[in-house]
Amino acid sequence: YQQNPKTYAIVKQLLVEGNAGELQKYFGSRMEFGTAGLRAAMGAGISHMNDLTIIQTTQGFCRYLEKNFSDLKKRGVVIGFDARAHLSSGGSSKRFARLAANTFISQGVPVYLFSDIIPTPFVPYTVTHLKLCAGIMVTASHNPKQDNGYKVYWENGAQIISPHDKGISQAIEENQEPWPQAWDDKLIDSSPLLHDPYAMVNKEYFKDIQKQCFYRNINKETNLKFVHTSVHGVGHKFVQLAFKAFDLSPPFAVPEQKDPDPDFPTVKYPNPEEGKGVLTLSFALAEKDGARIILANDPDADRLAVAEKQESGEWKVFSGNELGALLGWWIFTCWKNNSRDTRAIKDVYMLSSTVSSKILRAIALKEGFHFEETLTGFKWMGNRAKQLMDQGKAVLFAFEEAIGYMCCPAVLDKDGVSAAVITAEMASFLATRNLSLSQQLKAVYDEYGFHITKASYFICHDPKVIQQLFDNLRNFDGKNTYPKSCGRFKVSGIRDLTTGYDSSQPDQKAILPTSKSSQMITFTFANGGVATMRTSGTEPKIKYYSELCAPPGNSDVEQLKKELDELVNALEKHFFQPEKNKLQRKTE
């Protein structure tokens, strides 16, 4: 008896064709459950996201939570979903969310299942707000349309970190046979254990983010116009509500992209990080309506890209680091000028990840608050923020260069909805001083020192080549020696978070946690440059991030840019060796 006729038909067809290669792809290995949960294409077999793998994953997660929380049946879990769907396999985020809810309810666990699509940050918000044991968001964020994902939050409202991923993974292995009635998701509709948090969260979240609204009068009066795109995802309604909560006129929504569409028909990749290609329709609408600023969310609305029309008529798309600098400056300034927070500045913190710009460090040094860097990914920043908050500290802001911003302590993860409306208030305030975002960014750099960044990646589908490339860097001039220079640039320090080596520490041991399963080496150069090379957890990429930090007063930006370009060219040539390693460049 087949439970899902569509995936059953796909597999049956392959058996008829005797297609062993494809069957091996579908059934050869199970999706790996990591700290980011699951992320894979929807389709048949245990290597894909489908009804069965969602049931198995949730059964394992449920057992793991039972082991960790004696009050799981009192507190419960929250489950949200985006608008993704896959016709050929019958999979959709909503269907997966309902199956997951059914699994928990069958074990007597209360489930707060959102009745409609929501932004990802609403799940961690609900975990914290209702003091639940855990949260699940079914989304693949900005991945290609065939993908889906299963993202997990712990009781502290942050994404899980190790060892929970291993524990859950093991529990999934031990609970593979679907429990009775696992497929019958209609059962949940009549269960007293099913709750819908949609109305409550839509009220409370927008009340909570208003604590970050400082210039209501300016917002009411401003004649600055904004364009917003949700790139066929979930963001439209929620950004409109956020603007309303801040007393801003609603942004113009890009009509072709405002409604959820799992086919993402107007973009090649639904990822605002890809820059201008995703924003083509936004530029056109902004020109038509005379808007100067574009706010773009990714499909699950946890990230934000911003573009501004320059005096020249050109559009500038801010990098994640540039917007991080602006928001960091703004949020600190608002705290300093308006805060009723009586905590001393020594109890104020900001965080960013090791591959993001160190601009917050420069601001913190000059202003007297604390800056900390964490490993890459919001799971680290969310968990660290919670630790600090539990010690009575104020964590004002955290960001990473991949356009993720945490502007509001009510959500311990990146949140593109609050970031969009806070950016709009900042722009409205600056307009009263006749300043654009670009001009203010320059002012921030003038005051705290220029921080120029450049990041890119190479695609490599062969794990052996990637391993070889990093082994080569660790044995550059003979065994166990790292490079002493890169072209004409002298290397002054090395931190290898794969092996745990750090040349700048007295005992040569890195302070940040290390992970043998992923590659990450950071080089510091004598000219003040820093470059990190790392592998991606979710894509076949070797990424690099480089930055040149100048002390305040050095304002020759063009010279700094030229120096950074030369450093990056040397990095590519000597450390990546794309020709020798047959690496494919990022296509612009």
Side-chain angles (χ1 to χ4, degrees):
Y1 174 67
Q2 81 263 17
Q3 295 287 359
N4 182 330
K6 288 188 169 176
T7 47
Y8 180 80
I10 294 169
V11 176
K12 198 171 163 191
Q13 182 61 31
L14 291 174
L15 284 168
V16 171
E17 291 167 10
N19 190 333
E22 281 297 295
L23 284 165
Q24 179 62 32
K25 260 200 267 181
Y26 284 20
F27 291 96
S29 64
R30 173 170 291 280
M31 285 179 291
E32 221 172 295
F33 189 97
T35 50
L38 299 173
R39 183 93 46 106
M42 291 178 269
I46 57 170
S47 63
H48 291 124
M49 302 279 293
N50 55 53
D51 294 0
L52 175 63
T53 50
I54 290 293
I55 288 168
Q56 293 171 323
T57 299
T58 311
Q59 289 180 171
F61 188 32
C62 180
R63 288 287 176 258
Y64 185 75
L65 289 171
E66 286 167 350
K67 223 167 54 193
N68 279 275
F69 297 103
S70 55
D71 54 359
L72 178 64
K73 289 185 175 159
K74 211 164 71 214
R75 289 161 69 191
V77 300
V78 55
I79 302 176
F81 55 90
D82 69 9
R84 286 179 177 255
H86 188 243
L87 281 176
S88 61
S89 70
S92 74
S93 298
K94 184 173 188 171
R95 164 112 184 117
F96 294 161
R98 286 180 59 86
L99 287 168
N102 189 38
T103 302
F104 278 107
I105 284 172
S106 76
Q107 304 304 298
V109 177
V111 171
Y112 295 81
L113 172 68
F114 280 95
S115 52
D116 203 349
I117 56 171
I118 52 152
T120 293
F122 278 23
V123 168
Y125 176 83
T126 307
V127 172
T128 304
H129 195 78
L130 296 177
K131 302 185 173 56
L132 306 180
C133 294
I136 297 165
M137 179 69 192
V138 184
T139 178
S141 190
H142 54 276
N143 270 40
K145 64 182 177 186
Q146 65 273 14
D147 290 0
N148 216 325
Y150 184 106
K151 196 172 184 181
V152 174
Y153 296 86
W154 203 241
E155 66 163 341
N156 62 358
Q159 286 178 59
I160 57 163
I161 48 176
S162 205
H164 294 311
D165 54 331
K166 312 232 181 357
I168 296 165
S169 198
Q170 197 184 333
I172 295 168
E173 293 293 335
E174 291 160 7
N175 290 281
Q176 290 195 6
E177 189 178 325
W179 300 335
Q181 299 172 316
W183 305 85
D184 196 356
D185 65 314
K186 286 187 211 45
L187 292 171
I188 65 177
D189 296 318
S190 55
S191 167
L193 292 171
L194 183 74
H195 309 279
D196 177 11
Y198 191 85
M200 182 275 299
V201 171
N202 267 306
K203 197 171 91 212
E204 296 297 320
Y205 170 88
F206 292 104
K207 221 157 68 193
D208 270 342
I209 64 169
Q210 288 180 51
K211 292 175 188 146
Q212 315 304 315
C213 175
F214 294 105
Y215 293 98
R216 211 170 272 285
N217 290 339
I218 290 176
N219 296 347
K220 281 179 189 157
E221 310 276 285
T222 187
N223 46 21
L224 207 55
K225 291 177 182 170
F226 299 91
V227 157
H228 174 249
T229 178
S230 40
V231 193
H232 305 295
V234 304
H236 171 73
K237 174 185 170 179
F238 303 99
V239 169
Q240 296 279 328
L241 286 168
F243 268 63
K244 203 170 145 188
F246 273 53
D247 274 321
L248 284 153
S249 300
F252 298 109
V254 175
E256 303 90 333
Q257 296 177 333
K258 81 176 178 60
D259 297 322
D261 185 335
D263 280 326
F264 304 111
T266 65
V267 292
K268 193 172 162 196
Y269 301 108
N271 182 1
E273 250 187 300
E274 298 288 334
K276 295 197 166 167
V278 181
L279 299 177
T280 310
L281 291 168
S282 302
F283 294 140
L285 181 66
E287 298 289 354
K288 182 170 106 25
D289 288 333
R292 207 178 75 206
I293 293 174
I294 292 167
L295 304 164
N297 287 122
D298 68 342
D300 67 330
D302 65 349
R303 299 174 187 224
L304 174 74
V306 177
E308 181 183 56
K309 194 172 184 179
Q310 305 299 293
E311 295 287 302
S312 63
E314 287 287 301
W315 284 93
K316 173 181 169 63
V317 182
F318 293 94
S319 72
N321 285 323
E322 290 172 331
L323 193 56
L326 279 167
L327 283 168
W329 161 80
W330 173 250
I331 288 167
F332 176 72
T333 306
C334 290
W335 178 85
K336 196 170 69 176
N337 296 342
N338 304 293
S339 177
R340 289 172 287 287
D341 193 337
T342 52
R343 281 175 287 205
I345 194 154
K346 65 173 176 34
D347 289 329
V348 168
Y349 281 74
M350 287 196 184
L351 312 173
S352 69
S353 67
T354 68
V355 297
S356 304
S357 167
K358 296 292 165 280
I359 183 67
L360 296 184
R361 184 177 64 192
I363 300 175
L365 276 170
K366 196 163 172 182
E367 300 291 350
F369 62 91
H370 290 273
F371 165 75
E372 274 189 22
E373 76 169 6
T374 69
L375 288 178
T376 315
F378 255 89
K379 60 186 177 194
W380 298 105
M381 286 184 273
N383 278 284
R384 181 62 184 141
K386 180 73 173 106
Q387 279 179 337
L388 289 165
M389 284 155 66
D390 288 347
Q391 295 163 18
K393 313 292 186 202
V395 179
L396 296 187
F397 178 60
F399 90 97
E400 68 176 2
E401 54 70 45
I403 63 174
Y405 312 95
M406 180 181 115
C407 304
C408 177
V411 174
L412 295 178
D413 197 12
K414 52 186 183 283
D415 178 354
V417 178
S418 58
V421 72
I422 289 167
T423 300
E425 177 171 89
M426 165 171 64
S428 303
F429 172 86
L430 288 168
T432 64
R433 310 276 160 107
N434 287 324
L435 288 167
S436 66
L437 292 174
S438 311
Q439 288 166 324
Q440 181 54 41
L441 180 64
K442 186 174 177 319
V444 170
Y445 287 147
D446 282 337
E447 184 161 350
Y448 302 106
F450 272 87
H451 286 60
I452 296 175
T453 58
K454 197 170 180 178
S456 190
Y457 58 79
F458 288 95
I459 294 168
C460 179
H461 291 282
D462 185 349
K464 284 198 215 40
V465 170
I466 295 178
Q467 186 62 51
Q468 186 59 54
L469 187 149
F470 280 92
D471 284 347
N472 180 35
L473 290 169
R474 295 188 180 104
N475 304 282
F476 204 73
D477 299 312
K479 200 165 161 45
N480 293 333
T481 60
Y482 291 89
K484 294 179 180 60
S485 65
C486 179
R488 71 175 179 85
F489 298 96
K490 199 170 158 315
V491 174
S492 58
I494 307 242
R495 181 184 64 192
D496 187 336
L497 288 180
T498 307
T499 63
Y501 169 76
D502 186 341
S503 67
S504 70
Q505 295 301 324
D507 61 357
Q508 313 254 295
K509 284 193 171 67
I511 295 167
L512 287 170
T514 55
S515 162
K516 288 188 178 41
S517 62
S518 60
Q519 301 282 357
M520 179 156 163
I521 306 178
T522 300
F523 300 93
T524 308
F525 295 94
N527 68 345
V530 181
T532 295
M533 295 170 60
R534 67 182 273 263
T535 47
S536 161
T538 48
E539 301 160 303
K541 291 175 178 174
I542 315 172
K543 301 182 169 186
Y544 67 80
Y545 309 79
S546 64
E547 178 167 38
L548 207 50
C549 309
N554 179 349
S555 56
D556 190 349
V557 187
E558 290 316 309
Q559 183 49 42
L560 290 169
K561 279 188 179 152
K562 196 171 148 250
E563 178 97 349
L564 185 63
D565 285 343
E566 286 177 25
L567 177 62
V568 165
N569 290 342
L571 189 76
E572 291 192 353
K573 186 177 158 185
H574 300 286
F575 288 3
F576 279 95
Q577 301 177 308
E579 284 72 33
K580 183 187 135 193
N581 291 313
K582 299 190 175 54
L583 305 177
Q584 195 185 326
R585 285 177 183 278
K586 172 186 175 181
T587 47
E588 280 309 329

